[in-house]
Amino acid sequence: MKKECRIVQDLLPLYIDEVVSKESNDFIEKHLQECKQCKEMLNLLKQEEQVSNIDEKEAIRKFHKKLRYKNLKTLIITLLCIIIILYIGWQLLYVNEYMVPYAENLANVEIPEDEGIDIKINTKNYKNGYAILVKTGENIYDVYVNITQNIITKLFKDNDQSNNLIRIGNNICIDFQSEKIRFFEPENAKIQNIYYINENYKDIVFLTDEELVKLEDKILLWSNNT
Protein backbone atom coordinates (compact mmCIF):
# COMPACT_ATOMS: atom_id res chain seq x y z
CA MET A 1 0.00 0.00 0.00
CA LYS A 2 1.34 3.36 -0.99
CA LYS A 3 2.20 5.88 1.68
CA GLU A 4 -0.33 8.26 0.17
CA CYS A 5 -3.06 5.63 0.42
CA ARG A 6 -2.33 5.03 4.12
CA ILE A 7 -2.61 8.74 4.80
CA VAL A 8 -5.89 9.04 2.89
CA GLN A 9 -7.44 5.96 4.52
CA ASP A 10 -6.49 7.28 7.96
CA LEU A 11 -8.24 10.54 7.08
CA LEU A 12 -11.35 8.96 5.50
CA PRO A 13 -13.45 8.86 8.77
CA LEU A 14 -12.74 12.56 9.28
CA TYR A 15 -13.44 13.22 5.61
CA ILE A 16 -16.85 11.49 5.91
CA ASP A 17 -17.66 13.60 8.98
CA GLU A 18 -16.49 16.71 7.10
CA VAL A 19 -14.07 17.83 9.80
CA VAL A 20 -10.84 17.91 7.75
CA SER A 21 -9.25 21.14 6.59
CA LYS A 22 -9.87 22.45 3.08
CA GLU A 23 -6.36 21.49 2.00
CA SER A 24 -6.79 17.93 3.32
CA ASN A 25 -10.24 17.68 1.75
CA ASP A 26 -8.87 18.71 -1.66
CA PHE A 27 -5.99 16.27 -1.27
CA ILE A 28 -8.31 13.36 -0.42
CA GLU A 29 -10.77 14.05 -3.24
CA LYS A 30 -7.95 14.28 -5.78
CA HIS A 31 -6.53 11.00 -4.53
CA LEU A 32 -9.92 9.26 -4.66
CA GLN A 33 -10.30 10.19 -8.31
CA GLU A 34 -7.10 8.29 -9.06
CA CYS A 35 -7.19 5.43 -6.48
CA LYS A 36 -9.83 2.73 -6.87
CA GLN A 37 -8.78 0.97 -3.63
CA CYS A 38 -9.25 4.06 -1.47
CA LYS A 39 -12.56 4.82 -3.18
CA GLU A 40 -13.83 1.33 -2.31
CA MET A 41 -12.65 1.87 1.24
CA LEU A 42 -14.62 5.13 1.33
CA ASN A 43 -17.80 3.38 0.12
CA LEU A 44 -17.34 0.62 2.68
CA LEU A 45 -16.94 3.15 5.51
CA LYS A 46 -20.06 5.02 4.38
CA GLN A 47 -22.10 1.80 4.39
CA GLU A 48 -20.88 0.93 7.87
CA GLU A 49 -21.78 4.42 9.07
CA GLN A 50 -25.29 4.12 7.60
CA VAL A 51 -25.82 0.79 9.39
CA SER A 52 -24.48 2.32 12.59
CA ASN A 53 -26.82 5.31 12.27
CA ILE A 54 -29.79 3.00 11.69
CA ASP A 55 -28.90 0.93 14.75
CA GLU A 56 -28.46 4.09 16.82
CA LYS A 57 -31.83 5.47 15.72
CA GLU A 58 -33.49 2.13 16.47
CA ALA A 59 -31.88 2.05 19.90
CA ILE A 60 -33.08 5.60 20.60
CA ARG A 61 -36.58 4.74 19.38
CA LYS A 62 -36.71 1.66 21.62
CA PHE A 63 -35.43 3.70 24.56
CA HIS A 64 -38.12 6.37 24.12
CA LYS A 65 -40.78 3.69 23.70
CA LYS A 66 -39.65 1.98 26.90
CA LEU A 67 -39.55 5.34 28.69
CA ARG A 68 -43.10 6.19 27.55
CA TYR A 69 -44.33 2.78 28.71
CA LYS A 70 -42.62 3.24 32.09
CA ASN A 71 -44.12 6.72 32.52
CA LEU A 72 -47.56 5.45 31.52
CA LYS A 73 -47.26 2.55 33.95
CA THR A 74 -46.22 4.93 36.73
CA LEU A 75 -49.15 7.24 35.94
CA ILE A 76 -51.65 4.36 35.97
CA ILE A 77 -50.30 3.02 39.27
CA THR A 78 -50.42 6.51 40.78
CA LEU A 79 -54.02 7.05 39.64
CA LEU A 80 -55.05 3.64 40.99
CA CYS A 81 -53.43 4.44 44.35
CA ILE A 82 -55.25 7.78 44.48
CA ILE A 83 -58.57 6.11 43.60
CA ILE A 84 -58.02 3.42 46.26
CA ILE A 85 -57.11 6.01 48.89
CA LEU A 86 -60.15 8.15 48.00
CA TYR A 87 -62.42 5.08 48.04
CA ILE A 88 -61.12 3.94 51.44
CA GLY A 89 -61.44 7.49 52.77
CA TRP A 90 -64.99 7.77 51.43
CA GLN A 91 -65.89 4.43 53.00
CA LEU A 92 -64.38 5.36 56.36
CA LEU A 93 -65.56 8.96 56.51
CA TYR A 94 -68.97 8.81 54.85
CA VAL A 95 -70.28 5.30 54.15
CA ASN A 96 -69.21 3.69 57.42
CA GLU A 97 -71.96 4.40 59.94
CA TYR A 98 -72.19 3.69 63.62
CA MET A 99 -75.01 4.04 66.07
CA VAL A 100 -75.60 7.29 67.95
CA PRO A 101 -75.80 6.23 71.61
CA TYR A 102 -78.91 7.33 73.40
CA ALA A 103 -78.68 10.43 75.54
CA GLU A 104 -81.39 12.29 77.43
CA ASN A 105 -83.85 13.97 75.07
CA LEU A 106 -82.12 12.50 72.00
CA ALA A 107 -85.57 11.50 70.74
CA ASN A 108 -89.12 11.94 71.94
CA VAL A 109 -92.53 10.86 70.66
CA GLU A 110 -95.21 13.28 69.47
CA ILE A 111 -98.82 12.43 68.57
CA PRO A 112 -100.12 14.99 66.03
CA GLU A 113 -103.78 15.56 65.17
CA ASP A 114 -103.63 13.63 61.87
CA GLU A 115 -103.35 10.31 63.78
CA GLY A 116 -99.79 9.76 62.65
CA ILE A 117 -96.92 9.27 65.05
CA ASP A 118 -93.80 11.43 65.02
CA ILE A 119 -90.51 10.54 66.64
CA LYS A 120 -88.66 13.83 67.05
CA ILE A 121 -84.89 13.63 66.69
CA ASN A 122 -83.33 16.40 68.75
CA THR A 123 -79.97 16.58 67.00
CA LYS A 124 -78.61 17.38 63.58
CA ASN A 125 -75.54 15.32 64.22
CA TYR A 126 -76.56 12.19 62.34
CA LYS A 127 -76.52 10.67 58.87
CA ASN A 128 -79.37 8.17 58.70
CA GLY A 129 -82.36 7.05 60.69
CA TYR A 130 -84.06 3.68 60.79
CA ALA A 131 -87.34 2.35 62.12
CA ILE A 132 -89.03 -1.04 62.07
CA LEU A 133 -92.56 -2.08 62.90
CA VAL A 134 -92.63 -5.41 64.77
CA LYS A 135 -95.81 -7.37 65.32
CA THR A 136 -96.00 -8.60 68.91
CA GLY A 137 -99.64 -9.72 69.06
CA GLU A 138 -102.95 -9.67 67.24
CA ASN A 139 -102.87 -6.25 65.53
CA ILE A 140 -100.39 -5.06 68.16
CA TYR A 141 -97.03 -3.62 67.15
CA ASP A 142 -93.86 -2.24 68.69
CA VAL A 143 -91.63 0.25 66.88
CA TYR A 144 -87.82 0.08 67.03
CA VAL A 145 -85.88 3.16 65.97
CA ASN A 146 -82.22 4.02 65.67
CA ILE A 147 -80.12 6.86 64.21
CA THR A 148 -76.56 6.60 62.91
CA GLN A 149 -73.71 8.97 62.18
CA ASN A 150 -70.37 8.88 60.42
CA ILE A 151 -67.15 10.79 60.99
CA ILE A 152 -68.27 13.69 58.80
CA THR A 153 -71.59 14.21 60.56
CA LYS A 154 -69.87 13.79 63.91
CA LEU A 155 -67.29 16.47 63.19
CA PHE A 156 -69.66 18.89 61.44
CA LYS A 157 -72.62 18.96 63.81
CA ASP A 158 -74.50 21.63 61.86
CA ASN A 159 -74.61 19.46 58.75
CA ASP A 160 -78.35 18.75 58.60
CA GLN A 161 -78.94 15.74 56.34
CA SER A 162 -82.47 15.02 57.44
CA ASN A 163 -83.99 15.83 54.04
CA ASN A 164 -82.22 12.79 52.60
CA LEU A 165 -83.37 10.30 55.17
CA ILE A 166 -85.93 7.82 53.88
CA ARG A 167 -85.74 4.23 55.06
CA ILE A 168 -88.13 1.30 54.80
CA GLY A 169 -88.69 -0.98 57.78
CA ASN A 170 -90.87 -4.05 58.10
CA ASN A 171 -94.32 -3.28 56.66
CA ILE A 172 -93.83 0.48 56.98
CA CYS A 173 -92.20 3.41 55.21
CA ILE A 174 -90.34 5.87 57.38
CA ASP A 175 -89.96 9.40 56.04
CA PHE A 176 -87.65 11.92 57.75
CA GLN A 177 -88.96 15.46 57.47
CA SER A 178 -87.82 18.33 59.67
CA GLU A 179 -85.89 15.80 61.73
CA LYS A 180 -88.96 13.72 62.50
CA ILE A 181 -89.62 10.06 61.82
CA ARG A 182 -93.17 10.18 60.51
CA PHE A 183 -95.30 7.03 60.21
CA PHE A 184 -98.90 5.89 60.52
CA GLU A 185 -100.29 2.93 62.37
CA PRO A 186 -101.40 0.00 60.20
CA GLU A 187 -105.15 -0.20 59.68
CA ASN A 188 -107.00 -1.69 62.68
CA ALA A 189 -103.68 -1.96 64.55
CA LYS A 190 -102.28 -0.49 67.70
CA ILE A 191 -98.79 0.76 68.51
CA GLN A 192 -97.94 -0.53 71.97
CA ASN A 193 -94.33 0.59 72.55
CA ILE A 194 -91.65 2.65 70.80
CA TYR A 195 -88.02 1.75 71.58
CA TYR A 196 -84.69 3.30 70.74
CA ILE A 197 -82.09 0.63 69.98
CA ASN A 198 -78.98 1.47 71.96
CA GLU A 199 -76.89 -1.43 70.65
CA ASN A 200 -74.45 -0.67 67.87
CA TYR A 201 -76.32 -1.88 64.78
CA LYS A 202 -75.56 0.02 61.60
CA ASP A 203 -78.83 -0.93 59.93
CA ILE A 204 -81.59 -2.39 62.04
CA VAL A 205 -83.73 -3.25 58.99
CA PHE A 206 -81.55 -6.34 58.59
CA LEU A 207 -82.55 -7.65 62.02
CA THR A 208 -85.44 -10.10 62.21
CA ASP A 209 -88.46 -9.47 64.40
CA GLU A 210 -87.24 -12.17 66.79
CA GLU A 211 -83.81 -10.53 67.08
CA LEU A 212 -85.36 -7.12 67.73
CA VAL A 213 -87.65 -8.40 70.47
CA LYS A 214 -84.73 -10.12 72.21
CA LEU A 215 -82.55 -7.00 72.28
CA GLU A 216 -81.60 -6.07 75.83
CA ASP A 217 -80.07 -2.62 75.33
CA LYS A 218 -83.13 -0.67 74.22
CA ILE A 219 -84.65 2.51 75.60
CA LEU A 220 -88.41 2.88 75.95
CA LEU A 221 -89.35 6.18 74.35
CA TRP A 222 -93.10 5.85 74.58
CA SER A 223 -95.72 3.33 75.67
CA ASN A 224 -99.44 3.22 75.05
CA ASN A 225 -99.83 1.84 78.56
CA THR A 226 -98.84 5.12 80.19
Side-chain angles (χ1 to χ4, degrees), residues 45-62:
L45 290 173
K46 286 183 175 180
Q47 290 176 2
E48 290 178 351
E49 184 179 30
Q50 288 176 354
V51 173
S52 176
N53 289 337
I54 292 173
D55 292 342
E56 184 179 354
K57 289 179 180 178
E58 181 65 18
I60 294 174
R61 187 188 68 81
K62 288 182 178 179

Side-chain angles (χ1 to χ4, degrees), residues 66-81:
K66 185 176 181 180
L67 184 62
R68 286 196 299 269
Y69 173 76
K70 183 178 180 181
N71 291 338
L72 180 61
K73 184 178 179 181
T74 301
L75 177 61
I76 292 174
I77 292 175
T78 302
L79 290 176
L80 286 176
C81 290

Side-chain angles (χ1 to χ4, degrees), residues 5-196:
C5 288
R6 285 198 297 269
I7 295 173
V8 169
Q9 290 182 13
D10 287 341
L11 292 173
L12 282 178
L14 299 177
Y15 172 76
I16 293 173
D17 292 337
E18 300 180 353
V19 292
V20 294
S21 65
K22 185 177 184 307
E23 292 78 9
S24 297
N25 188 79
D26 293 341
F27 169 74
I28 294 170
E29 289 183 348
K30 183 178 179 181
H31 178 79
L32 291 174
Q33 291 175 358
E34 300 172 353
C35 181
K36 182 178 180 181
Q37 183 180 3
C38 289
K39 191 171 184 178
E40 290 176 352
M41 178 63 71
L42 175 64
N43 293 332
L44 180 61
L45 290 173
K46 286 183 175 180
Q47 290 176 2
E48 290 178 351
E49 184 179 30
Q50 288 176 354
V51 173
S52 176
N53 289 337
I54 292 173
D55 292 342
E56 184 179 354
K57 289 179 180 178
E58 181 65 18
I60 294 174
R61 187 188 68 81
K62 288 182 178 179
F63 171 76
H64 284 298
K65 182 178 180 181
K66 185 176 181 180
L67 184 62
R68 286 196 299 269
Y69 173 76
K70 183 178 180 181
N71 291 338
L72 180 61
K73 184 178 179 181
T74 301
L75 177 61
I76 292 174
I77 292 175
T78 302
L79 290 176
L80 286 176
C81 290
I82 292 174
I83 291 173
I84 291 172
I85 291 172
L86 290 176
Y87 177 76
I88 293 175
W90 179 68
Q91 289 286 332
L92 292 176
L93 296 177
Y94 185 79
V95 176
N96 188 42
E97 302 175 31
Y98 49 94
M99 180 269 302
V100 177
Y102 186 80
E104 187 176 359
N105 295 324
L106 175 66
N108 59 280
V109 178
E110 299 176 355
I111 309 296
E113 296 180 355
D114 59 6
E115 298 182 356
I117 297 178
D118 291 337
I119 301 174
K120 179 72 166 56
I121 305 299
N122 299 314
T123 178
K124 294 182 178 181
N125 183 20
Y126 66 95
K127 179 177 184 288
N128 284 321
Y130 302 85
I132 290 183
L133 194 68
V134 176
K135 189 174 183 179
T136 57
E138 187 65 30
N139 290 330
I140 298 177
Y141 293 84
D142 286 346
V143 177
Y144 291 79
V145 299
N146 173 271
I147 61 175
T148 62
Q149 62 184 183
N150 55 27
I151 294 178
I152 293 178
T153 56
K154 183 177 182 179
L155 294 176
F156 301 98
K157 296 185 178 182
D158 293 333
N159 186 15
D160 182 5
Q161 302 193 34
S162 60
N163 291 334
N164 300 325
L165 302 180
I166 299 176
R167 290 294 180 268
I168 298 177
N170 297 354
N171 307 313
I172 192 170
C173 177
I174 308 302
D175 185 3
F176 280 66
Q177 293 180 344
S178 302
E179 297 176 12
K180 290 181 181 179
I181 305 176
R182 160 58 62 92
F183 63 93
F184 294 89
E185 298 182 64
E187 188 176 355
N188 299 321
K190 177 181 179 182
I191 300 297
Q192 189 69 35
N193 301 299
I194 299 177
Y195 296 100
Y196 184 88

